[in-house]
Amino acid sequence: MFNSGIWRMKRFADSVPELIDLQREINRLFSNVGQSTTLGYPALNVWEKDDSLVVTSELPGIDPENIDISVTGTTLTISGTSKADPVKEGETYLRQERDLGNFQRNLQLPFGVDSKAIEAKYERGILTITLPRMKEDLPKKIKINS
């Protein structure tokens, strides 16, 4: 009877490192709960400048002809297709991490934009979209009568 209790304690003691590893793994898995993470592709940077919204996005290696930009109401949509690099005969991939295929990203704009004055340029893999604010959406100075 005494020996079996010691045996049980020894087995438990042997499993402590595994329990600590399990606790670390659970902590790692749940460490980002409650934090908003953006999993969208392509990644976007957005800022306001001179009554316009500027949106930049990294789209390396994509032909500008394969990128579509549209604005509907206050939603900007960037979509397109990323194609695979051609592999020649006798070559094989050892690693392939770049996403391929169709993509779409929607961005809710903070104000209405003048869709006729939107400008987009694509230079060195960076897409830059300038969205001018509608005149009706600009802040108005209110004169106080006395």
Side-chain angles (χ1 to χ4, degrees):
M1 185 183 249
F2 186 89
N3 289 340
S4 65
I6 293 173
W7 179 77
R8 285 187 192 150
M9 290 300 286
K10 186 174 182 185
R11 277 187 64 177
F12 177 75
D14 289 343
S15 63
V16 169
E18 292 174 7
L19 290 172
I20 292 171
D21 289 343
L22 177 62
Q23 182 181 10
R24 282 190 193 129
E25 184 65 17
I26 290 171
N27 289 341
R28 186 189 66 77
L29 288 171
F30 289 100
S31 65
N32 292 329
V33 171
Q35 297 178 6
S36 64
T37 56
T38 302
L39 300 175
Y41 177 83
L44 304 175
N45 287 346
V46 182
W47 66 92
E48 194 171 356
K49 174 185 170 186
D50 301 328
D51 295 326
S52 293
L53 203 63
V54 179
V55 178
T56 60
S57 179
E58 295 178 350
L59 294 167
I62 298 178
D63 185 351
E65 298 295 320
N66 293 329
I67 302 171
D68 295 315
I69 304 165
S70 65
V71 174
T72 305
T74 57
T75 302
L76 169 69
T77 301
I78 302 171
S79 59
T81 304
S82 172
K83 296 183 180 174
D85 297 328
V87 178
K88 298 175 184 160
E89 187 176 330
E91 296 178 340
T92 57
Y93 277 108
L94 296 178
R95 177 176 233 143
Q96 188 174 10
E97 294 181 355
R98 289 180 28 209
D99 288 335
L100 302 173
N102 297 330
F103 62 88
Q104 179 174 323
R105 184 75 191 268
N106 295 319
L107 174 68
Q108 189 66 40
L109 304 173
F111 49 74
V113 297
D114 182 359
S115 60
K116 295 177 184 167
I118 295 173
E119 295 179 5
K121 72 176 185 175
Y122 183 76
E123 188 175 332
R124 295 183 350 189
I126 306 292
L127 175 65
T128 303
I129 307 168
T130 305
L131 304 127
R133 192 172 193 165
M134 286 177 50
K135 300 290 184 213
E136 297 82 28
D137 263 4
L138 288 171
K140 295 173 181 63
K141 177 128 174 117
I142 309 290
K143 183 179 177 184
I144 301 174
N145 296 324
S146 55

